[in-house]
Amino acid sequence: MKKTLCLLLMLALAMGVFALGAVAEETLTIGFTCNNATNDANQAVHYQAMKDYAEEVGIELIALDPAGDANVQFSHIENFIQMGVDGILFRAVDSTTIIPALKEAHDAGIPIVCTTNIIDESGYDYFDAFVGPSDFYQAATACDIVLSNPKFAEQETINVLQCAHVLGSTVHELRNEGFWAEAEGSNLNLLEMQTANGTREEAQQLMENWLLKYDIEDIDVVFVEGDGMVLGIVAAMESYGLTAEDICVVGICVSGTTFDYIQDGLVYGSVIQSPYDDAQTSIDTLLKIINGEEVEFMTYQPNPPVTKELIDSGEVTRPDW
């Protein structure tokens, strides 16, 4: 009888220890600071996709939106350090402001993943991996789309207006560099470059100004460094009754709306960038780092072109954002 009681007691204690161990296993807490989810469709979807996927895989995600303010984003990183989070994800507002805060987090031993917007190389030592597009090669693809337009086959000079993303950001710097590196030796000629700061409203005003400044016949191409701004460019063109036959508009990071514009002949082409893939791969990569697994420092997502021909052939499908 005593042996039986001892065995039962030992079993109960073992079960108690097991139960306590299960309770003691804490949910990982990850801090995420985005760029500007309030002012850009891709970023809004990326921000929500981060939260949805974090819930799916069972981690607690503290998601913060600095609304395009680099100093606020700096404070987000410092707050994450004080909170003792298990990892940090960030989509940088600009290429340099965040770097000292990243160094603090890195020195505190917190695993860090840079998502979608790569920062200046001087900050590479302070995060563990990057997941997102190659802005350089996205822009090179955009340039190839322009040069493939049969309308320009016999044209001596192709005049380009460039609607830039936020000046000083790596998104702008790399997309500008990639487009014109690919254009080297071609007959593309830059008329003017102005920023619309990633917004539809500023892009519409910018295009309206250009249509007043230049003869329409002198504008061959508008290269737009982000498809959120494409919507403003098209809005301005529509008021003049212009389509992609008149001005070859090419963007980057195609949305569902831009996809429809390409299909309807209002925009000539764009490049795919999935905020869902970026979000999920970023979280998966950070979890691997936290678990001590080896990961690639640079994980570039595929960014194929979108043109009406590719849509009609079924090779590309409409994004659901």
Side-chain angles (χ1 to χ4, degrees), residues 173-193:
E173 291 169 357
L174 291 171
R175 288 180 180 177
N176 177 61
E177 184 182 346
F179 186 90
W180 291 106
E182 189 71 6
E184 188 173 354
S186 73
N187 52 353
L188 294 183
N189 171 59
L190 180 64
L191 288 176
E192 186 176 340
M193 180 183 71

Side-chain angles (χ1 to χ4, degrees), residues 211 216 233-247 265-266:
L211 289 171
I216 292 172
I233 298 294
V234 170
M237 287 175 54
E238 283 187 309
S239 66
Y240 281 74
L242 301 172
T243 70
E245 285 292 321
D246 305 296
I247 299 175
L266 296 172

Side-chain angles (χ1 to χ4, degrees), residues 16 53 90 96 123 150 182 184 189 227 243 249 254 278 294 319:
Y53 190 62
F90 73 95
T96 57
E182 189 71 6
E184 188 173 354
N189 171 59
D227 268 19
T243 70
V249 177
V254 65
D278 283 0
E294 292 288 330

Side-chain angles (χ1 to χ4, degrees), residues 169-218:
S169 68
T170 53
V171 174
H172 160 64
E173 291 169 357
L174 291 171
R175 288 180 180 177
N176 177 61
E177 184 182 346
F179 186 90
W180 291 106
E182 189 71 6
E184 188 173 354
S186 73
N187 52 353
L188 294 183
N189 171 59
L190 180 64
L191 288 176
E192 186 176 340
M193 180 183 71
Q194 295 289 338
T195 180
N197 291 306
T199 73
R200 171 179 179 161
E201 293 75 19
E202 289 191 44
Q204 181 171 348
Q205 184 61 60
L206 177 60
M207 189 63 189
E208 288 170 354
N209 293 342
W210 279 338
L211 289 171
L212 291 172
K213 180 177 181 179
Y214 296 97
D215 290 334
I216 292 172
E217 293 77 13
D218 293 334

Side-chain angles (χ1 to χ4, degrees), residues 258-281:
T258 310
F259 184 95
D260 294 339
Y261 284 164
I262 296 170
Q263 198 164 30
D264 295 339
L266 296 172
V267 171
Y268 187 73
S270 188
V271 181
I272 292 173
Q273 179 184 321
S274 169
Y276 300 105
D277 291 347
D278 283 0
Q280 293 182 13
T281 307

Side-chain angles (χ1 to χ4, degrees), residues 44-54 275-277 279-280 283:
V45 174
H46 182 254
Y47 185 72
Q48 187 60 47
M50 282 283 196
K51 294 194 287 186
D52 291 343
Y53 190 62
Y276 300 105
D277 291 347
Q280 293 182 13
I283 289 177

Side-chain angles (χ1 to χ4, degrees), residues 95-96 99 118-127 170 174 298:
S95 61
T96 57
I99 291 174
I118 191 65
I119 62 170
D120 186 80
E121 288 187 17
S122 61
Y124 280 16
D125 288 341
Y126 309 128
F127 63 91
T170 53
L174 291 171
M298 292 286 186

